Amino acid sequence: MIIANWKSNIIDVNNWYTNFNNFYKSMSDSAIIGVAPPTIYLDKLVTNLGKGDSEIKVGVQDVDHLYGSRTGTISVDMIIETGCRFAIIGHSERREIFHEDNNLIKEKLKSLNKRAMVVLCVGETKEENEKGLTKDILKNQLEIVNKLELDKEFIVAYEPVWAIGSGLTPEPKDINEIHKYIKDVVQSNSANNLSPKILYGGSVTDKNAESFFREKFVDGALIGGASLDGTTFAKIVNIFNTIKKL
Ligand code: 13P
């Protein structure tokens, strides 16, 4: 799966979609493509794509696990009603800027599980990486799946915090090793021993995507900056489709 995370950027949705379509080459076993726009563009994007039958699935960048008197938030029921198929949770920007902790992210996971596809983001900071703590940090962030019966579409996105928007990335072989580790941790701790798909995120571009997609345990990508342009995003999806058969 290849997912665009537009974060809080202004996008001309019609223009993006036209550019994407001009460059995207659909194949018989094409990757699942997702776009997570700012929530204010959700309806526009769903209308552009048509509910359900488009090759592009629409999702949200985050969601509230509750509903009702919760000023400023969007509930799981609302995103499903709008036509969203997936939700990103636990993004490092949510953890850092909005102080979201494992307890809250677990509530979000439970409220979405088996209703919409979950993309759980995990990743270590530069300091943690330099201290050799990456696997400990990931194990801690992944504790929220313990004893949970996970939906078979549950996805983890490995996004090293130091790679996001920085132009820096780990070596592809190191990403591969971490992805294998994440798969093993989720498989041994979830109630149904699910082996999830793992996406890589952090400074993925149309120039470096191939080096990641060639790795065995890289099942796709979660893309920020390079997804803001429909042409570049389509090129990355095309690269994925020529390398991996899903
Ligand atoms: P960049 O692709 O801009 O590094 O962002 C990655 C990311 O945070 C996607 O969720």
Side-chain angles (χ1 to χ4, degrees), residues 5 7 91 93 159 163-165 202-204 222-225:
N5 176 5
K7 305 191 180 183
H91 194 282
E93 288 152 15
E159 298 207 308
I164 295 175
S203 297
V204 175
L222 179 54
I223 303 166

Side-chain angles (χ1 to χ4, degrees), residues 94-242:
R94 300 295 314 174
R95 293 178 195 260
E96 268 180 41
I97 304 168
F98 302 98
H99 310 293
E100 295 196 3
D101 62 11
N102 268 356
N103 290 334
L104 178 60
I105 298 165
K106 182 167 188 167
E107 291 308 316
K108 295 184 186 206
L109 169 59
K110 289 197 310 201
S111 66
L112 286 160
N113 198 26
K114 304 194 180 175
R115 299 195 67 207
M117 193 189 291
V118 172
V119 181
L120 170 66
C121 297
V122 295
E124 81 288 358
T125 62
K126 186 167 178 48
E127 196 186 3
E128 290 159 350
N129 182 282
E130 284 168 356
K131 285 186 180 156
L133 295 172
T134 299
K135 287 185 177 170
D136 295 333
I137 296 297
L138 297 177
K139 189 152 199 223
N140 174 273
Q141 291 173 339
L142 291 168
E143 265 176 17
I144 68 170
V145 309
N146 289 3
K147 300 192 175 74
L148 216 60
E149 175 100 15
L150 291 169
D151 185 287
K152 62 176 180 2
E153 290 189 318
F154 174 75
I155 290 174
V156 179
Y158 171 52
E159 298 207 308
V161 179
W162 52 275
I164 295 175
S166 65
L168 303 171
T169 67
E171 290 298 321
K173 67 171 181 11
D174 296 335
I175 293 173
N176 198 50
E177 187 201 325
I178 293 292
H179 282 207
K180 166 93 173 65
Y181 174 75
I182 293 171
K183 256 183 217 281
D184 289 347
V185 170
V186 174
Q187 189 165 26
S188 47
N189 293 334
S190 56
N192 50 337
N193 303 121
L194 183 91
S195 174
K197 292 223 182 309
I198 318 287
L199 314 183
Y200 169 71
S203 297
V204 175
T205 66
D206 54 334
K207 304 287 179 297
N208 63 17
E210 178 174 347
S211 67
F212 306 129
F213 297 156
R214 292 223 172 266
E215 297 295 331
K216 181 175 176 194
F217 295 107
V218 175
D219 301 310
L222 179 54
I223 303 166
S227 76
L228 301 179
D229 174 48
T231 306
T232 309
F233 185 66
K235 285 182 183 168
I236 297 173
V237 178
N238 292 341
I239 292 167
F240 184 84
N241 284 337
T242 56

